[in-house]
Amino acid sequence: MSGISSTLSERMRTALNEQIKAELDSAYLYLALAAQVEQQNLKGFAHWLRLQWEEELAHALKLYDFLLQRDAAVELKALNEPSFTARTPLEIFTQVLAHEQYITRRINGLYAMAVEEKDYASQTLLQWFIAEQLEEEESARDIMDNLKLVGDSGASLFLLDRELGQRPKEAED
Ligand code: FEO
């Protein structure tokens, strides 16, 4: 850290640190959900959820790097124990969508704060997150809708599991 204080406001710094925790909590949730489906031998769903775990870690790191770039202190908080009652793939992806909608609300709140503070660098960072949330909600919704169509058909669930097993790792940007 330099002797000149960070240009990031204390309010924004606290909120971005809280978002690091929210992203790491998301990662932890996805890892728990991956184990849940893997135990049902749905390895394709498990693969998808594990990749999501990695993506959430990357989201947390993006915020972490931004704070360091702004010469602002990083504060890592204790994570929440993943809590969910979802068991079936449909219940799990319904929960995934609800969770991503919650994260979107948080990101929107952070963006509103950055606008209020005329913090343009934070706005640029958060615009990336806004676009990312659109994609995340869309993928969760697509899988949830597919699961609704599949219903009780084991054969269709098998095919969907195979399809999700082919999810490629997202390129870093
Ligand atoms: Fe990082 Fe799934 O939101």
Side-chain angles (χ1 to χ4, degrees), residues 47-88:
H47 166 79
W48 193 98
L49 289 160
R50 271 193 201 220
L51 281 188
Q52 199 56 39
W53 166 64
E54 284 184 23
E55 281 210 8
E56 300 302 349
L57 294 179
H59 294 170
L61 268 182
K62 211 174 179 73
L63 295 159
Y64 172 101
D65 285 337
F66 178 78
L67 284 169
L68 293 175
Q69 209 177 13
R70 297 286 297 271
D71 201 16
V74 167
E75 274 170 43
L76 297 180
K77 316 273 184 200
L79 301 186
N80 292 342
E81 195 174 311
S83 141
F84 58 92
T85 51
R87 291 290 174 265
T88 67

Side-chain angles (χ1 to χ4, degrees), residues 90-158:
L90 178 56
E91 285 167 353
I92 285 173
F93 277 85
T94 304
Q95 166 141 14
V96 165
L97 178 58
H99 181 75
E100 288 305 336
Q101 287 169 336
Y102 158 71
I103 296 292
T104 299
R105 287 193 296 277
R106 292 188 61 102
I107 296 289
N108 289 345
L110 284 168
Y111 188 79
M113 189 187 289
V115 168
E116 224 174 87
E117 306 222 344
K118 297 190 169 56
D119 181 340
Y120 302 112
S122 293
Q123 286 174 40
T124 302
L125 171 84
L126 291 163
Q127 275 163 9
W128 183 90
F129 277 92
I130 289 168
E132 180 72 4
Q133 283 311 116
L134 263 180
E135 278 181 27
E136 298 222 329
E137 283 193 33
E138 186 185 20
S139 334
R141 193 176 294 108
D142 283 352
I143 298 171
M144 190 185 78
D145 288 345
N146 282 334
L147 282 163
K148 281 184 186 159
L149 286 174
V150 159
D152 292 332
S153 161
S156 303
L157 187 62
F158 173 79

